[in-house]
Amino acid sequence: MLDLVIGIPEEVYPALLVVISAIGIDLVFGVLTSIKNKEFNIRTLPQFLVTGVLPYVGGLLVLAVAAERIGMFYYGLFVGVSGMVVAKYVADLKDKVFELFGIGE
């Protein structure tokens, strides 16, 4: 379906799904952590989305489209960058889960 809409090859769907899922789960746990710490401000959420979420998703979508249009070099680059982004968000998520549930204090 996305192949018809924006030119993303089917081969990158699984990696893209994993990355977007990791970003979404991290976002939810970030909001929960900020609510727990009484730091949540709905007014800053859109700015966080623009600076902390959309650049990752947009950049990966550009690489995915480049993988389809330009060639396999960008597919390898997409997979590598996806792995690094997932590693970053998994590390952030671990920290947030530990803080949220008081683990490791």
Side-chain angles (χ1 to χ4, degrees):
M1 181 173 84
L2 287 177
D3 190 29
L4 297 174
V5 177
I6 57 175
I8 296 176
E10 268 186 53
E11 295 82 19
V12 301
Y13 287 156
L16 194 59
L17 180 63
V18 168
V19 172
I20 292 174
S21 298
I23 292 170
I25 293 167
D26 181 69
L27 175 66
V28 169
F29 274 89
V31 168
L32 292 174
T33 302
S34 66
I35 290 171
K36 177 187 177 208
N37 294 335
K38 297 179 173 68
E39 299 171 347
F40 181 74
N41 184 350
I42 193 70
R43 291 181 181 98
T44 60
L45 188 59
Q47 181 63 29
F48 172 74
L49 291 173
V50 168
T51 60
V53 174
L54 294 179
Y56 287 104
V57 174
L60 288 170
L61 287 175
V62 167
L63 284 176
V65 171
E68 173 68 16
R69 303 286 181 222
I70 298 173
M72 288 303 290
F73 170 76
Y74 285 96
Y75 176 73
L77 187 61
F78 172 81
V79 171
V81 170
S82 296
M84 289 184 271
V85 170
V86 167
K88 177 242 189 273
Y89 276 99
V90 167
D92 288 350
L93 183 59
K94 176 197 69 93
D95 295 341
K96 289 173 184 159
V97 167
F98 282 11
E99 182 178 346
L100 189 62
F101 296 110
I103 301 170
E105 293 181 358

